[in-house]
Amino acid sequence: MDIQQPLALLGGLTPAQFMRTYWHKKPLLVRQAIAQFEPPVGRAELFALAGEEGVESRMIQHKKGQWSLRHGPIPRRSIPPLKTPEWTVLVQGVDLHDDATHALLQQFRFVPEARLDDLMISYATDGGGVGPHFDSYDVFLLQAHGRRRWRIGRQKDLSLRGGLPLKILANFVPEQEFVLEPGDMLYLPPGWAHDGIAEGECMTYSIGFRSANRAELAREVLMRVADEAGDEEDSPIYRDPKQPAVDRPGAIPAQLQEFARDAVQRALAQPGGLERALGECLTEPKSNVWFEPAEAMQMLEGVALDRRTRMMYDERHVFINGDSYRAGGRDATLMRRLADQRFLTAADLARASDDALELLSAWCETGWAHPDPQS
Ligand code: SIN
Ligand code: CO
């Protein structure tokens, strides 16, 4: 993507300008971000997805001042009549299940893949919504069908209403209000309070991001570093020829503490070890993702990543679906191109080494990628 090219999606800003001025900083309303927007997933498809095992969905209803929340799968018969006001069904990660939705999410790849999360779709009847709240993540709220009134504010008081199954602000103070029509889009940085209320039947597509939590990231990265350290062959054994006799046998020897400290520091100091662990964590598929293996086949005419595949790279590695590979030279250039554009053409493949071709075929066999004559 040319990050210096003005985009209608960003109201005529270039991705570079948007990231500099708005991203993580202030909201942006874009009228007709996608003109004549034809939502790839409509009401019927959304309800069908909400009923499936392995698809993350929720139904929220607001009745006589009471909020109720039900987690999916939500069978069609449990969805209230369309004439009943104030309910909403939300389906997370629709991009994992639908190619056109996945393609729509790709328009936002001026943000690193490592930060992009998923595309959620909500359907609401008149008055429906999830209540005033704030998210810890950036979000683009793209109006797909009908109208929705968004009220937003910077909200100092983040206290929540007690005793509810969902997080609803106790004292929401809206500062701005917009009614979004199909194709309009509102960008909100993390922490901005918002309340979107459907005006008649309404569908909203939310492009969501993920932000690592420091403690969780430390746990995940350290677990992988620990696995790697545990595989070290001929690892030295603790020796203590100078250990004196002790009259307090319960006390841990300081020398053993030092040995442990050194072991951990060495594990973390393995060249590229932390970066490798991070790449593997970031490309680990979500727990509800699985791939369908395919027959071995030739792919002379190009290859495209499966929509569920996560692929990234760093200076020394390429990462795909939680696996890492060391890559250098021409093959690294090729694999980085695959991660960036998610496909390789026949011309790209003609320059690939036998090792790279073998790896690509293996990924096609596991269902991580597919032969693609259109690439
Ligand atoms: C919705 O689509 O109703 C909720 C989106 C959000 O507030 O993040
Ligand atoms: Co929200």
Side-chain angles (χ1 to χ4, degrees), residues 358-372:
E358 210 171 292
L359 202 52
L360 290 168
S361 318
W363 294 347
C364 285
E365 278 174 52
T366 50
W368 291 0
H370 307 288
D372 185 9

Side-chain angles (χ1 to χ4, degrees), residues 297-336:
M297 56 186 110
Q298 288 210 317
M299 27 147 229
L300 299 173
E301 293 177 77
V303 61
L305 294 180
D306 183 85
R307 61 173 184 267
R308 287 156 289 203
T309 284
R310 282 181 169 167
M311 187 173 184
M312 299 173 205
Y313 55 84
D314 67 15
E315 290 279 304
R316 301 186 211 190
H317 310 92
V318 293
F319 306 100
I320 179 165
N321 294 331
D323 278 0
S324 53
Y325 301 85
R326 274 190 83 92
R330 222 165 38 165
D331 283 348
T333 309
L334 189 80
M335 292 303 183
R336 288 175 189 172

Side-chain angles (χ1 to χ4, degrees), residues 114-115 137 210-218 278 282:
R115 297 280 279 107
Y137 314 105
R210 55 184 179 144
S211 270
N213 164 298
R214 192 167 67 180
E216 277 170 26
L217 189 66
L278 176 63
L282 290 173

Side-chain angles (χ1 to χ4, degrees), residues 249-268:
I252 296 171
Q255 189 196 333
L256 184 50
Q257 288 173 327
E258 203 37 56
F259 184 77
R261 191 179 333 276
D262 177 62
V264 172
Q265 276 164 358
R266 277 171 192 273
L268 280 169

Side-chain angles (χ1 to χ4, degrees), residues 88 90 120-122 129-131 133 135 139 141 148 150 194 196 204-206:
T88 179
L90 305 103
M120 177 186 84
I121 303 182
S122 70
V130 300
H133 67 284
D135 301 310
V139 66
L141 300 154
R148 172 163 247 147
W150 285 102
H194 51 288
T204 302
Y205 283 29
S206 300

